[in-house]
Amino acid sequence: MSKQEKEPLFSAKNMKLLTAPFGQNNPITVQILGICSALAVTAKLKPAFVMALSVIVVTGFSSMIISLIRKGIPNRIRIIVQLVVVAALVILVDQVLKAFVYDVSKQLSVFVGLIITNCIIMGRIEAFALGNKPWPAFLDGVGNGMGYGMILIILGFFRELLGSGTLWGYPVLEKIGLYNIGYVNNGLMILPPMALICVGLIIWFQRSRNKNLIEK
Amino acid sequence: MKRLRELIDKIKPNFEKGGKFEKLHSTFDAFETFLFVPNRVTRSGSHIRDCLDLKRVMIVVVVALLPALLFGMYNTGLQHFRAMGVADASVWTCFWFGFLKVLPIIIVSYVVGLGIEFISAQIRGHEVNEGFLVSGMLIPMVMPVDIPLWMVAVATAFAVIIGKEVFGGTGMNVFNPALLARAFVFFGYTPYISGEKVWVAGLSNGTGVVDGFSGATPLTDAASAVLTKADQVQWTHGAPIDWFLGTIPGCIGETSTLAILIGAVILLWTGIASWRIMLSVFAGGYLTGLLFNLIGANAYMDIPAYYHLIIGGFAFGAVFMATDPVTASQTNTGKFIYGFLIGFLAVMIRVLNPGYPEGMMLAILFMNAVAPLIDYYVVQANIRRRNRRLKLAK
C-alpha cells in the first residue's frame, strides 16, 4: 500500500464526524436510536448528565478499540467480539460510578448495564468503526455519544424543571416564588410517556427548522 | 339576517387573494361559513351533496350536550349548598351559582382551544376546522368544578396541540381530544381531580362545610370499600335513583344519566352517533358487571351490574366520547367490538384497580389506539370471505 498523506488530527472531515451528530445526524432525533434509555433516566438532570457522560466514554473507546483490531476480527463472529469489548467498557464505567457517585448509580440502576444494548453503540461500530481508522472512529463515537447526551440533558432539564420544580436538586421554582401564586408541578412530566412526547417535540422543532430531514 | 349577509359580502374582498387582510382568510372563512351555509360545492370527483356539513353536525352534538350541561350547572349549585348546609336554596339559586362556576371553565376551554385552532389554520393556510366546537364543550364537562382555570388552559392546549394538530388537525386525531385533556390533568395534577374533596364547589378550601359532609362519589365509595376490605360498599350519596337522576357529586356534566340519555336520543334521532357503539358499550359494561358478580371476591365485585352503568362517567363516555366518529372504529362489525371492549375494560379497570377509580377515560383512550387495528382485521376478514366465495363460484 502506498503511503498516504498524513491528515491533520482535527481536519475538516474529522471535525464533521464530531459535530454532525449534534444536528443533521443526531442519534436520537434523526436516527431514532437509544430512545429507551432517553425515556428512563431523564426524570432528573443529574442522572441524565451522568448517563450522557457514561455513554460518551463507552461509544468513543469501543469504536476506537474495535477500529484498532478491525483487521483481525473474523467477519462471522464480529458481533460477539464487539459485545465483549463494549461489555468490558460498560463494566468499567459501572464500577467507576459505583465508587464515586453511588447515589446516581442507584438511580440509573440497570440502565448503566443496558448501555451494552444501546443501539447507538453497536450501530456506530457496525456502520463506521469497522471500516475506518482508530482516530476518526474515536471522534465518530464521541460525537454520537455527545449528540445523544445533548438530547438527554435537554430532556432532563425540562422534565426536572416542570415535573419537580428543581434543577440539579436546587428548588428553582420555590425560590422565585411561583408556588405562592398557585403554580403546581406537573406529575406527568416525571412519567416516561411524557418524555416520549418531549422527544417528539424536539424532533418536530428540529425538522421544522431543517426541512432536509423531512422524509418524502 | 339580510343585513348581516350584505355586511359580509361588503368586507369579503378584503380577505380574498390580494386583499388587505389576505393573511386572515382562514379566520374570515371560518366565521362566514359558521353563519351561512357556504355556496361552494366540490367540483371534482364523485360526492354526495348534503346540507348537513361538519359545522351543522358539530352544532347538533353541542345541542345534545346541553341537557347534561344545564343539569350539571344546577347540580353544582345543589351540591355546594348541601355541603354548606343551606337547606332552602331554590332551583334558580342553585343553577345561578353553578352557572357562574362553570361558565369561566367553558370560556377558558373555548378561548384557548379555538385560539390554537385559528393560529394553526392560519399558519398552514387551511380552513379553520370546527371539530373544537364539541371538544371545547366536552372538556369542561369532564372536569371537577373546583379545578384551577390555568390547569384547564394547559390541558386544553396540550390536547389540541399534541392530540390533534400534530396529527394534521380535525379528523386526523388518534385520540379523543377532550379525554386527552382530562388524562393530562389526571396524571399531571392528580390531587386536583381525584379523592373526595374536589367534586363539590368550595369543599376543598373547607370553610363553612357542614360537619360530616363527604364529597365522595359512588366510584370513590366503591374503590375505598376494596381498599379497606369492607364486606359491603358504604354509599355516601343516596340510592341508585339519585345516581340515575344525577344529584350526586362528580364531574360537571357526567352525573346525570337521565340528561345524558336525552342527549343520546338527540344524537341517535339525527343519526349522528352510532347506535352500535352506544349499545355495545352498555352491553360490555353490564356483562362484565355480571361476570364480576359471579366471581364476587370483594365488595366492589358484588354490586349489582347495572350500578356500573349509572355511576361515574360510564354513560357520558358511552354516549359522547366513545361515539366520536374520528377515533372510533369505522366498520360496522368493528364498532360492536370496539364498543364492547370499552365497556369491558372500563369496568375491569374500575373494579380491579382502585387506584384509577374512573376506568372509562382510560378504556376509551386505549380503545382509540386499537380501533384502526380492529378495522384492519374486519376488512381483511371480509376480503378473505369474498375470495372464498369467488373460488367456490369458479
Side-chain angles (χ1 to χ4, degrees):
Chain A
M1 266 174 44
S2 64
K3 201 143 171 89
Q4 281 173 343
E5 227 176 294
K6 205 160 176 4
E7 214 178 340
L9 274 188
F10 288 101
S11 65
K13 210 172 95 200
N14 283 349
M15 279 312 281
K16 198 149 184 287
L17 289 176
L18 202 58
T19 55
F22 281 96
Q24 289 283 338
N25 204 13
N26 188 287
I28 294 187
T29 63
V30 180
Q31 301 171 25
I32 320 287
L33 295 175
I35 296 284
C36 2
S37 53
L39 305 191
V41 300
T42 53
K44 292 265 163 64
L45 192 54
K46 198 171 171 190
F49 182 78
V50 173
M51 182 74 179
L53 222 54
S54 317
V55 171
I56 292 172
V57 170
V58 176
T59 46
F61 284 101
S62 65
S63 279
M64 188 173 74
I65 293 169
I66 292 294
S67 175
L68 274 172
I69 58 174
R70 69 182 187 279
K71 287 181 183 145
I73 305 176
N75 197 29
R76 287 171 65 188
I77 58 160
R78 67 178 196 282
I79 299 278
I80 202 78
V81 175
Q82 290 161 10
L83 273 179
V84 169
V85 172
V86 176
L89 283 166
V90 168
I91 291 168
L92 272 178
V93 167
D94 195 24
Q95 294 303 317
V96 170
L97 291 186
K98 275 191 181 138
F100 293 103
V101 277
Y102 187 66
D103 55 325
V104 181
S105 163
K106 287 275 271 196
Q107 281 179 43
L108 290 174
S109 65
V110 295
F111 288 97
V112 177
L114 285 178
I115 295 178
I116 300 172
T117 56
N118 193 319
C119 328
I120 298 170
I121 298 170
M122 294 301 278
R124 289 333 288 172
I125 291 174
E126 281 280 305
F128 196 87
L130 277 177
N132 286 281
K133 290 186 174 168
W135 176 245
F138 178 72
L139 289 182
D140 179 75
V142 170
N144 273 283
M146 287 201 294
Y148 168 85
M150 179 184 72
I151 301 293
L152 245 63
I153 288 167
I154 296 176
L155 282 177
F157 177 83
F158 284 109
R159 286 184 69 193
E160 185 173 353
L161 186 66
L162 299 175
S164 317
T166 57
L167 278 180
W168 207 274
Y170 181 79
V172 188
L173 298 186
E174 197 187 316
K175 294 286 177 202
I176 60 173
L178 214 52
Y179 294 122
N180 298 335
I181 55 168
Y183 177 80
V184 184
N185 286 328
N186 190 326
L188 192 57
M189 287 305 274
I190 303 178
L191 303 175
M194 197 60 190
L196 186 67
I197 293 172
C198 291
V199 173
L201 290 176
I202 295 174
I203 294 177
W204 184 14
F205 177 74
Q206 192 189 11
R207 294 194 177 196
S208 62
R209 294 192 44 155
N210 189 347
K211 303 275 187 219
N212 300 336
L213 294 174
I214 300 172
E215 295 97 349
K216 284 281 155 356
Chain B
M1 210 45 138
K2 207 170 161 213
R3 254 204 232 134
L4 191 64
R5 180 76 252 179
E6 276 165 8
L7 176 74
I8 285 177
D9 284 338
K10 209 178 94 194
I11 60 170
K12 196 170 183 175
N14 287 331
F15 296 95
E16 299 291 309
K17 263 218 152 67
K20 238 188 304 182
F21 304 110
E22 187 190 331
K23 286 222 170 90
L24 289 173
H25 177 75
S26 310
T27 315
F28 175 78
D29 186 67
F31 280 112
E32 191 197 353
T33 50
F34 183 77
L35 294 168
F36 293 100
V37 176
N39 57 0
R40 300 183 301 270
V41 290
T42 318
R43 298 215 178 274
S44 62
S46 58
H47 56 271
I48 301 168
R49 277 184 69 177
D50 192 345
C51 62
L52 193 68
D53 65 356
L54 195 55
K55 280 196 177 76
R56 287 349 111 174
V57 169
M58 294 299 175
I59 290 295
V60 172
V61 181
V62 171
V63 169
L65 279 167
L66 281 181
L69 179 70
L70 295 178
F71 183 85
M73 288 174 172
Y74 161 72
N75 189 45
T76 301
L78 183 72
Q79 296 304 324
H80 173 76
F81 289 122
R82 273 187 190 171
M84 299 299 149
V86 183
D88 53 351
S90 71
V91 172
W92 284 109
T93 327
C94 289
F95 180 79
W96 185 243
F97 178 86
F99 179 76
L100 291 181
K101 272 279 177 189
V102 176
L103 192 66
I105 305 179
I106 298 179
I107 293 175
V108 167
S109 150
Y110 269 118
V111 167
V112 173
L114 284 178
I116 295 171
E117 288 258 340
F118 272 80
I119 292 169
S120 59
Q122 211 71 72
I123 291 172
R124 293 184 184 158
H126 287 181
E127 285 176 34
V128 175
N129 282 309
E130 36 290 291
F132 195 75
L133 286 180
V134 171
S135 305
M137 191 61 99
L138 284 172
I139 290 173
M141 293 176 77
V142 293
M143 297 284 176
V145 65
D146 256 359
I147 191 155
L149 290 178
W150 68 268
M151 281 182 195
V152 179
V154 174
T156 309
F158 176 85
V160 175
I161 296 174
I162 305 291
K164 217 157 118 182
E165 291 308 326
V166 294
F167 292 106
T170 303
M172 308 289 210
N173 45 317
V174 181
F175 298 107
N176 185 317
L179 276 181
L180 215 53
R182 192 179 196 278
F184 182 84
V185 177
F186 184 77
F187 289 106
Y189 308 111
T190 317
Y192 290 82
I193 198 165
S194 55
E196 303 188 350
K197 296 270 182 197
V198 300
W199 309 110
V200 178
L203 197 60
S204 46
N205 66 18
T207 45
V209 180
V210 179
D211 279 348
F213 181 88
S214 163
T217 64
L219 283 176
T220 340
D221 292 334
S224 62
V226 177
L227 291 174
T228 57
K229 300 204 164 52
D231 291 336
Q232 257 186 334
V233 181
Q234 294 295 326
W235 304 106
T236 328
H237 284 272
I241 183 70
D242 298 315
W243 309 339
F244 180 74
L245 293 175
T247 53
I248 46 168
C251 286
I252 293 166
E254 58 151 41
T255 54
S256 170
T257 313
L258 178 67
I260 292 163
L261 286 181
I262 297 173
V265 169
I266 298 176
L267 287 180
L268 292 178
W269 181 60
T270 50
I272 284 172
S274 157
W275 62 268
R276 293 181 176 86
I277 295 178
M278 275 189 213
L279 185 77
S280 52
V281 174
F282 282 113
Y286 186 69
L287 291 178
T288 316
L290 288 180
L291 183 73
F292 278 124
N293 285 348
L294 288 180
I295 303 172
N298 61 30
Y300 206 159
M301 291 188 186
D302 276 334
I303 68 169
Y306 74 92
Y307 279 19
H308 280 292
L309 311 185
I310 51 178
I311 62 176
F314 193 94
F316 192 81
V319 172
F320 295 111
M321 305 287 203
T323 54
D324 175 5
V326 178
T327 54
S329 277
Q330 308 294 323
T331 52
N332 282 345
T333 322
K335 280 175 181 164
F336 282 120
I337 303 171
Y338 167 84
F340 188 86
L341 285 177
I342 287 181
F344 169 74
L345 282 174
V347 176
M348 284 289 268
I349 297 171
R350 276 181 180 181
V351 177
L352 296 184
N353 186 353
Y356 294 149
E358 186 45 287
M360 200 58 185
M361 169 181 81
L362 299 168
I364 297 178
L365 283 175
F366 179 74
M367 289 310 294
N368 281 169
V370 181
L373 189 71
I374 298 174
D375 279 341
Y376 175 80
Y377 280 110
V378 169
V379 171
Q380 289 300 315
N382 202 17
I383 292 174
R384 265 202 306 279
R385 198 164 47 244
R386 287 182 167 215
N387 271 339
R388 251 201 318 273
R389 214 179 289 157
L390 190 71
K391 237 179 255 165
L392 283 177
K394 268 182 186 170

